Structures are given as structure tokens and as C-alpha cells.
Amino acid sequence: MHLTAEKAKDPDSLHKLLAKELDTHLIASARVIHSYSAQIQHFFAHSKLLIIKPSSNLDLTTKLKPFSLLGVNPQDCESVEEGIKSAWRSLYSLEAIEERMRCGAWCPFISVLVQEMVEGEYSFVMCTGVEEVNIELAIGLSEGFSLNADATPYCLRFDKFTKKVEIKEFGNFSFEIQADEVSSNSTKRSRIDYLEPKYLIDEEELLKLGATLGEIALVIQEHCKHPQRIKGAVHENDIYLIQSKDFCPLLFEC
């Protein structure tokens, strides 16, 4: 990418050069991607829908808005293959190139994550720090976390030493992603108003859940030996850990 960057005079021209290079690589890798889609089809034979998204070293050094493709049918190989390609392309969009130029992030190491789209009464993002765990909790499988300024989830603080939970901010609303009951191959996005009676959460229940999640976050951080950004969901009495990755509190706010 260094040589390509030297040829480009601005983000737009660099974006065009890199996009052309990426398309060449994706075409050359068509057979490999196709073989992956066949394996995914077999592995997720009993899953309804998938989430496909990239994970890279740029997550730590840039402030790129995360890309996720939700509601992919695992039995539709063409959709899976296009989802994998889209995950790669997301790091080569004009917005991504501008951010990478700003940070000098020229050498991305990328993996593409394919996960089952789980059901959940709640979804959460936790960021561990030196003294606390900050928890954002939204109703349903939500897009309503800190990177989405249009939503305000519940914000909790778990003290790592006293093990006490504090409600920093009560939730207002968020956007839930659900499998579409009409079309089994897609999702629907709906706004959830937390003031509606059916969505009201008992404060004691909220604090108890926050304490449980905080304890889990401590175990993960101790194992990883580094601050973590952890994503997951709560369904009935089960807690699903979807992803955990190194997190730099100085660069980002949870």
C-alpha cells in the first residue's frame, strides 16, 4: 500500500487506486471465497441468519465506524460470498481511506468474522479500564450503542474493586434488529421506546445484570492481559459472548 499511497495525491485518488487493487485480489480469490461459503453453509446448517463483519488492527488505531452485514442466509452461498467481499471492501471505502491516511494506518491485517445471529432480550458492549467496567445495555439485538449517536442505551459503571454497579444513564431508545417473520432471509429494523410499559426494566434487575456482566468482563480482561471491548447478548438465562478484542481507552470512549 505504501507504493500506491505514493502515487495518490489525495484520499479520493488513493481510494480509487486501492479499490482497483482490492477488486483484482477478490477476483483472484474467488475460488477460495467460494470454498469458504460452502463450509459456512455446512457449519451453519441449523442457523437461521448470520452476521458478517471485518475485524482488523485498524480497530485499535482508527475511529472507523464498524461495518456489519446482518441477516445473511447461510444457505444462500451467493449472499455469503458477497458478504465476505463487502466486509473486505468496508476498509477501502473513501471514508475508511481518509481515516487511515489521517492515522497513517497503511498496513491493515484483516479477518472476516462469520457469526450466528443470536436472539436476545438484551445486547451489550463492555469496555474494561483500570478501575471500572463501562457497560452499555440495549433492549434486543441493538444498533443503539455509543457509535450510534441516534440512540441512547442504558449506561452502567461496574467498580472493579468494590464490585458495585452504578446506573450512569437510563436508556431512552434504540433500534432493534430482528429476523423478519415474513421473509426468512432478511431482517427488519425497528425503534424501541424504553418508556413503553413492556420495555420497562426493574432497577434491581438492571443492577444485578450489570454486576454479572461486570464480573464476566473482569475474567476476560485477566485472561487477555489487556483492556477489552466485549460484545454480547442476553437470552433468557444465558449470556452469549460474541466478541472480545483489545481496547485502547485513550483513543476511544465506550
Side-chain angles (χ1 to χ4, degrees), residues 20-36:
K20 185 176 180 180
E21 286 186 10
L22 179 63
D23 285 340
T24 301
H25 288 306
L26 289 177
I27 291 172
S29 305
R31 289 186 179 181
V32 176
I33 294 174
H34 181 70
S35 68
Y36 284 150

Side-chain angles (χ1 to χ4, degrees), residues 22 26 52-55 67-69 80-92 110-114:
L22 179 63
L26 289 177
I52 300 178
K53 58 184 178 181
S55 180
F67 169 88
S68 294
L69 191 63
V80 172
E81 291 175 26
E82 188 54 40
I84 294 173
K85 293 176 183 178
S86 296
W88 277 88
R89 291 192 184 104
S90 68
L91 297 179
Y92 292 85
I110 309 169
S111 61
V112 176
L113 306 180
V114 180

Side-chain angles (χ1 to χ4, degrees), residues 39 45 74 78 88 93 117 170 191 207-209 219 237 250:
Q39 294 177 50
E78 185 176 341
W88 277 88
S93 67
M117 188 170 164
F170 282 91
R191 174 182 164 127
L207 293 172
K208 184 178 179 180
L209 178 56
V219 172
N237 294 321
L250 296 178

